[in-house]
């Protein structure tokens, strides 16, 4: 933990608001360049999202990170920062800090021990570089002051700075203190903010469908989820289609699990998603073969060899099919195939910012310099991390964007 500085009025080079992943990375880099840096946050401890991420082990990056893993009006905006400070560059820092890590599926890297090690690495680097951290301190007011900025802090101090960095993230997980402060401040200085909405979030169903699926709550399966855009909200995807193949979890509110969290960033109200609950399995062929081998076998038993028994029973009931395989025609078997691997449903909403891992949207990238993260219409203002209209997939991508964008700003602020 970095020792907070005593309250005072002073002039500094850089004021960073937000002691999360991006803000701390920026503070380290700016201080290493010899800049006088103050980083403030209204929370009690730095890096709280880091601490709770990955089940407490922090999915700190992804080996496959490219701009293709991000959403926004212009996801390619992220390319410069991601190439200049890569996932491999961050891994080197983790290695130098003596933090053991391991790779899980799909290139996701986690700490072997605790996410607190990543927080400690960053706070140690800040302290060693000379950056000052003040926790429990918010910004009551900020305004232009000459060529720089003047900020009134909640502890009574007034700070004047040449560079101001907005690093407070988005609105996700408000119980941890998340707010829209970065967006409000950006607008105050005339910057455009794109529509913001919860992302990487569970989806919810209407009561009638929930009642039909109640027996499945808590059941998890490997699934392939497909979403086809019905508007221009998602551009640049083949046929407007997005597909994720990962775990799916039935909940008492709807659907969750990695595949659903991923697709939630693309889904919009009024749109449907299609789930393959036994991806790669030819359900019709397998049921047909089971029928020919043992026609006396009950449908739910045969289907239970393809998907979990609870799911097999639910699908059979939902489709109104029961009895022995010998009594079921091929047309019905094909309908069951579709019920398993082309189950199309229309969520009514999401669980919102309360459980969303990130916020989609943010400060528009057409007003930021992709190399420095500086706001081109407002000299001295920088926006980094989740506050920017760059949102990553689930799996360590958002942390890598935080490291890369924070590093980029730290070279120039």
């Amino acid at each position: 933990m970095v020792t907070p500085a005593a309250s005072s009025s002073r002039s500094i080079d850089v004021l960073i608001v937000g002691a999360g992943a991006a803000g701390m990375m920026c503070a380290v880099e700016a201080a290493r360049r010899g800049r006088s840096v103050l980083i403030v946050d209204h929370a009690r401890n730095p890096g709280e999202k880091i601490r709770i991420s990955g089940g407490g082990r922090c999915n700190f990056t992804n080996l496959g990170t490219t701009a293709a893993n991000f959403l926004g009006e212009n996801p390619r905006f992220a390319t410069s920062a991601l190439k200049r400070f890569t996932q491999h560059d961050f891994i080197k820092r983790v290695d130098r800090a003596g933090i053991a890590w391991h790779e899980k599926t799909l290139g996701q890297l986690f700490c072997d021990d605790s996410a607190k090690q990543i927080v400690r690495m960053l706070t140690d680097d800040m302290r060693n570089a000379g950056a000052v951290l003040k926790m429990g301190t918010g910004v009551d007011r900020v305004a232009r002051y000459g060529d720089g900025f003047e900020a009134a802090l909640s502890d009574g101090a007034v700070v004047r700075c040449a560079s101001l960095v907005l690093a407070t993230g988005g609105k996700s997980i408000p119980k941890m203190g998340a707010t829209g402060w970065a967006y409000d401040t950006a607008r105050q200085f005339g910057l455009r903010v794109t529509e913001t909405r919860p992302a990487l979030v569970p989806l919810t169903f209407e009561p009638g469908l929930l009642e039909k699926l109640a027996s499945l709550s808590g059941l998890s399966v490997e699934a392939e989820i497909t979403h086809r855009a019905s508007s221009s909200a998602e551009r640049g995807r083949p046929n407007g289609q997005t597909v994720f193949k990962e775990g799916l979890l039935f909940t008492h509110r709807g659907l969750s699990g990695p595949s659903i969290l991923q697709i939630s960033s693309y889904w919009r109200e009024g749109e449907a998603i299609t789930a393959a609950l036994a991806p790669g399995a030819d359900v019709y062929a397998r049921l047909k073969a089971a029928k020919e081998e043992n026609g006396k076998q009950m449908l739910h038993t045969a289907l239970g060899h393809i998907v979990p028994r609870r799911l097999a029973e639910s699908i059979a009931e939902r489709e109104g099919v029961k009895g022995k395989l010998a009594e079921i025609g091929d047309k019905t078997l094909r309908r069951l195939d579709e019920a398993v691997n082309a189950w199309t449903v229309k969520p009514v909403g999401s669980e919102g910012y309360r459980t969303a891992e990130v916020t989609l949207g943010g400060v528009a990238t057409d007003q930021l310099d992709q190399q420095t993260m500086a706001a081109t219409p407002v000299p001295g203002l920088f926006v980094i991390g989740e506050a920017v209209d760059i949102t990553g997939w689930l799996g360590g991508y958002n942390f890598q964007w935080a490291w890369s964008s924070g590093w980029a700003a730290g070279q120039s602020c």
Side-chain angles (χ1 to χ4, degrees):
M1 178 74 178
V2 176
T3 304
S7 297
S8 61
S9 297
R10 57 182 174 135
S11 295
I12 57 172
D13 294 322
V14 184
L15 173 63
I16 301 171
V17 186
M24 290 193 284
M25 175 62 84
C26 182
V28 170
E29 294 304 307
R32 284 177 175 174
R33 291 173 45 236
R35 305 283 279 170
S36 56
V37 178
L38 172 64
I39 177 169
V40 300
D41 197 303
H42 64 187
R44 293 180 57 187
N45 298 300
E48 281 295 271
K49 273 196 175 181
I50 299 174
R51 181 184 62 80
I52 69 168
S53 69
R57 295 200 173 184
C58 187
N59 179 192
F60 58 83
T61 192
N62 193 294
L63 290 175
T65 303
T66 70
N69 306 115
F70 294 85
L71 296 82
E73 281 187 342
N74 177 23
R76 287 177 293 180
F77 173 88
T79 301
S80 177
L82 292 172
K83 284 187 173 181
R84 292 168 64 220
F85 187 84
T86 71
Q87 56 270 41
H88 306 292
D89 292 321
F90 190 75
I91 292 168
K92 288 177 183 176
R93 296 199 180 192
V94 172
D95 289 340
R96 282 198 299 268
I99 300 173
W101 53 270
H102 59 278
E103 179 183 353
K104 285 192 176 180
T105 58
L106 304 174
Q108 302 170 57
L109 303 190
F110 291 78
C111 298
D112 283 356
D113 188 10
S114 170
K116 293 178 182 179
Q117 293 176 296
I118 300 291
V119 178
R120 191 176 308 116
M121 176 187 76
L122 293 165
T123 54
D124 286 349
D125 285 350
M126 284 195 296
R127 181 179 59 248
N128 294 336
V132 175
L133 173 65
K134 293 178 71 172
M135 298 306 299
T137 305
V139 177
D140 292 338
R141 174 185 57 80
V142 63
R144 265 297 196 187
Y145 184 84
D147 293 334
F149 303 87
E150 182 178 84
L153 306 185
S154 61
D155 64 358
V158 175
V159 176
R160 292 168 182 168
C161 58
S163 297
L164 173 66
V165 183
L166 309 185
T168 55
K171 303 175 183 178
S172 55
I173 318 183
K175 69 179 181 181
M176 294 182 61
T179 70
W181 185 87
Y183 309 138
D184 295 339
T185 304
R187 291 189 187 98
Q188 174 190 328
F189 289 110
L191 299 183
R192 182 171 66 89
V193 177
T194 68
E195 176 196 8
T196 56
R197 56 184 290 119
L200 299 183
V201 63
L203 298 177
T204 58
F205 292 154
E206 51 88 13
L209 181 55
L210 284 178
E211 185 177 347
K212 292 179 181 178
L213 300 176
S215 65
L216 298 179
S217 183
L219 178 67
S220 179
V221 296
E222 183 75 5
E224 185 174 272
I225 308 299
T226 302
H227 168 262
R228 186 181 295 275
S230 60
S231 69
S232 60
E234 299 82 39
R235 295 183 291 273
R237 293 183 291 138
N239 302 316
Q241 185 169 292
T242 304
V243 181
F244 288 102
K245 185 179 179 181
E246 295 184 66
L248 175 148
L249 174 68
F250 290 90
T251 74
H252 66 287
R253 290 191 177 96
L255 295 176
S256 188
S259 63
I260 295 298
L261 299 187
Q262 297 279 37
I263 216 72
S264 72
S265 297
Y266 295 88
W267 174 84
R268 296 293 183 273
E269 287 77 3
E271 296 178 343
I273 59 174
T274 299
L277 302 174
D282 188 332
V283 177
Y284 169 76
R286 289 180 62 173
L287 290 177
K288 178 81 168 173
K291 176 181 176 179
E292 293 172 354
E293 182 178 335
N294 179 13
K296 294 181 179 180
Q297 186 177 190
M298 300 300 289
L299 167 65
H300 64 263
T301 301
L303 194 55
H305 292 143
I306 304 172
V307 297
R309 179 66 176 257
R310 266 199 291 163
L311 180 56
E313 293 174 347
S314 175
I315 290 172
E317 181 179 355
R318 194 168 69 242
E319 294 299 315
V321 183
K322 59 183 179 179
K324 299 174 182 178
L325 288 174
E327 302 167 349
I328 301 172
D330 287 0
K331 184 177 180 180
T332 301
L333 294 182
R334 290 191 184 280
R335 179 157 56 89
L336 288 166
D337 182 300
E338 187 171 305
V340 173
N341 277 336
W343 179 46
T344 299
V345 289
K346 188 177 289 187
V348 295
S350 78
E351 292 192 7
Y353 289 116
R354 180 182 64 84
T355 59
E357 295 201 13
V358 293
T359 301
L360 187 69
V363 177
T365 54
D366 61 2
Q367 296 166 102
L368 303 177
D369 185 294
Q370 63 180 343
Q371 290 194 318
T372 66
M373 306 305 299
T376 48
V378 189
L381 182 65
F382 296 77
V383 189
I384 58 178
E386 192 181 344
V388 181
D389 179 25
I390 292 290
T391 304
W393 291 358
L394 184 73
Y397 300 102
N398 287 294
F399 273 127
Q400 186 56 49
W401 170 243
W403 313 136
S404 297
S405 60
W407 181 92
Q411 310 308 308
S412 301
C413 64

